[in-house]
Amino acid sequence: MKDSKCFVTLKSVHDVMKAQKQLMAAGISINVVATPREISHNCGVVVQFACECIDQIETIICHEDYGNFGLFRKSAQGVEEIITAEY
Amino acid sequence: MIYLDNAATSFPKPAEMIEAMRAFMSESCGNPGRAGHLMSIGAAMKVFEARETVAEFFNVDDSRQVIFTQNVTMALNTVIRGFLRPGDKVVTTSMEHNSVMRPLRYLESREYIDLSVVNADNSGKVVPSDIAGKVEDNTRLVVINHGSNINGVIQDIASIVKAIKERGKGARVMIDAAQTAGAAAIDFREIDIDFLAFTGHKALMGPQGIGGLVIRKGIDIEPLCFGGTGSDSEFERQPEFLPDRLESGTQNNPGIIGLAAGIRFIEMKGLATIIEKERELTARLVSGLDSINGCRVYRGEPDNRLGVVAFNIDSIPCSSIGQRLNEDHEIFIRTGLHCAPVAHKTLGTFPDGSARVSVSYFNSEDEIDKFIDAMATVRRQ
């Protein structure tokens, strides 16, 4: 799992930018990247982060008013959907 | 040259605003949401920050409630055309600009809505209870001009909204802040309105071609325009969430950046400081015009007006006043009917119109004095 990357998908570019600002303010190292096709989410960009931060990220995203979001892990074995939340 | 037509569009613009647009267009003008490369993501962050700036300026809970439009007219039309349903009643005032009256009269002519126009007094002020008294069970929307583009009178929006809400009919309230955004304090949360329509290129010191709409959370509006948003891309239907639902196609991103920079300039100077300076200039202007023989000045009360003043002089057509000022003195004002015929009727200046002088933070007392001297010359000719 060392080579895996994790992603959070949000519904809009606005929300991805908001998350970027919020997560970086929390000291989490993230990147905004084009949505990997295997994840196939509707928004063109996602937040990419190291998988060890997943609990911290889930807490922050759940705490805020983001509405729908998804957490994904991508590795050589494929894409694993960890959480998809709809509000 | 002396520019006194700031109610049409403010000039000059802050150097900081021009520089922000230049930097964006020359260094990072990608298309937000349309790609995952650094230029696109960088532009998306700039637009996000601009939306946050607007939300903070108007004290809006969530910046997703801020929609960018091409101007205030588009913002007003977005609500009038997208929120109203057949058979709805709409209440408005006799101080409205055509950006409100024309779409409302159009819907009325198609028998889509029932329109009531509440008369202001001959100074342009509307009595809150007069508006509230027109609100009935099927009144879905009340549209109110916040500050007149003719004589600068500012309505007591807080009292008007309170009176409307106390009627308990569920009517939503939109204010047209074309002239007041950036020239008067507007607290979206405190005054309890449902829609705020504004433009960026007047008192907010931004460029032309950008405006916006603030929408109370939970209110749905049918889009005027449908198309690509950079979201929900696998679906052929329009997204249901804001801001994307009401922002189809590539936006005026340089304009959005300029608008935010204009607001930051206002915040740097202090809105209260700007308002105070414009009030002092306006008092000087009114006093000077009052001293000219035969000059009739249309203005609001000193503590409740914008830096917008209309006037006429005896039998001199207002167009001649504007022409003399332009050609002989290089002073730029506006004359005629200011796209607000119903408001001119209210003030008694229809159909001839009026001359209009409008100041900004960048005007000086010396410019006002030169204008008054020029007017005295025009009067004598």
Side-chain angles (χ1 to χ4, degrees), chain B residues 7-145:
Chain B
T9 194
S10 58
F11 182 87
K13 305 293 188 186
E16 294 90 334
M17 189 280 283
I18 296 167
E19 171 55 24
M21 289 186 72
R22 187 209 61 78
F24 180 74
M25 293 187 74
S26 60
E27 296 162 15
S28 59
C29 197
N31 198 342
R34 270 58 174 181
H37 56 71
L38 289 176
M39 188 87 87
S40 173
I41 292 167
M45 180 51 80
K46 292 273 189 192
V47 170
F48 169 78
E49 289 170 345
R51 205 182 300 274
E52 294 267 285
T53 298
V54 174
E56 286 168 20
F57 186 72
F58 292 124
N59 195 20
V60 179
D61 289 332
D62 184 340
S63 63
R64 281 172 284 208
Q65 296 165 251
V66 175
I67 308 302
F68 291 117
T69 60
Q70 71 185 57
N71 48 42
V72 68
T73 300
M74 185 63 81
L76 292 160
N77 272 267
T78 296
V79 175
I80 290 170
R81 302 299 302 276
F83 179 65
L84 295 174
R85 304 286 177 266
D88 283 342
K89 182 173 178 183
V90 179
V91 177
T92 192
T93 82
S94 69
M95 285 302 288
E96 303 305 313
H97 190 276
N98 268 346
S99 54
V100 167
M101 291 309 289
R102 283 182 172 173
L104 288 179
R105 289 296 190 198
Y106 172 76
L107 293 182
E108 181 189 40
S109 73
R110 301 295 297 261
E111 299 182 345
Y112 193 89
I113 62 165
D114 176 16
L115 180 64
S116 286
V117 180
V118 176
N119 287 326
D121 65 23
N122 62 7
S123 75
K125 286 287 279 188
V126 183
V127 177
S129 59
D130 287 353
I131 294 189
K134 291 286 185 186
V135 173
E136 299 170 2
D137 287 339
N138 62 336
T139 302
R140 188 166 169 85
L141 182 66
V142 181
V143 190
I144 308 160
N145 177 277

Side-chain angles (χ1 to χ4, degrees), chain B residues 99-211:
Chain B
S99 54
V100 167
M101 291 309 289
R102 283 182 172 173
L104 288 179
R105 289 296 190 198
Y106 172 76
L107 293 182
E108 181 189 40
S109 73
R110 301 295 297 261
E111 299 182 345
Y112 193 89
I113 62 165
D114 176 16
L115 180 64
S116 286
V117 180
V118 176
N119 287 326
D121 65 23
N122 62 7
S123 75
K125 286 287 279 188
V126 183
V127 177
S129 59
D130 287 353
I131 294 189
K134 291 286 185 186
V135 173
E136 299 170 2
D137 287 339
N138 62 336
T139 302
R140 188 166 169 85
L141 182 66
V142 181
V143 190
I144 308 160
N145 177 277
H146 190 198
S148 169
N149 70 313
I150 300 176
N151 71 344
V153 68
I154 300 176
Q155 304 296 343
D156 181 0
I157 286 295
S159 297
I160 292 172
V161 174
K162 186 167 179 283
I164 292 167
K165 301 279 173 172
E166 281 175 356
R167 289 277 290 162
K169 304 293 187 186
R172 301 293 187 176
V173 180
M174 172 161 67
I175 71 169
D176 170 4
Q179 295 295 336
T180 50
I186 298 175
D187 187 318
F188 185 83
R189 213 167 1 182
E190 189 177 301
I191 56 179
D192 200 23
I193 52 176
D194 301 290
F195 308 105
L196 168 69
F198 63 93
T199 192
H201 70 103
K202 296 183 179 180
L204 287 177
M205 307 277 193
Q208 295 173 8
I210 187 69

Side-chain angles (χ1 to χ4, degrees), chain A residues 34-47:
Chain A
T35 306
R37 297 322 302 162
E38 309 94 300
I39 290 176
S40 187
H41 193 266
N42 299 324
C43 183
V45 287
V46 292
V47 177

Side-chain angles (χ1 to χ4, degrees), chain B residues 3 6 29 34 42 82 88 148 157 184 186 216 221-222 241 259 265 286 324 351 365 371:
Chain B
Y3 185 83
N6 291 280
C29 197
R34 270 58 174 181
D88 283 342
S148 169
I157 286 295
I186 298 175
R216 180 190 285 268
I221 295 178
E222 284 291 312
F241 48 83
L259 167 62
F265 175 83
V286 168
R324 292 273 64 80
E365 291 184 351
F371 163 74

Side-chain angles (χ1 to χ4, degrees), chain B residues 311-329 331-338 344 349 351-356 375 378 381:
Chain B
F311 67 94
N312 278 315
I313 297 181
D314 286 346
S315 57
I316 306 176
C318 60
S319 55
S320 298
I321 295 172
Q323 189 176 3
R324 292 273 64 80
L325 289 171
N326 179 39
E327 293 178 3
D328 300 343
H329 304 277
I331 296 175
F332 305 148
I333 68 166
R334 181 170 176 179
T335 61
L337 293 169
H338 309 293
H344 279 287
T349 54
D352 295 331
S354 67
R356 182 189 72 184
M375 278 307 307
V378 171
Q381 286 174 336

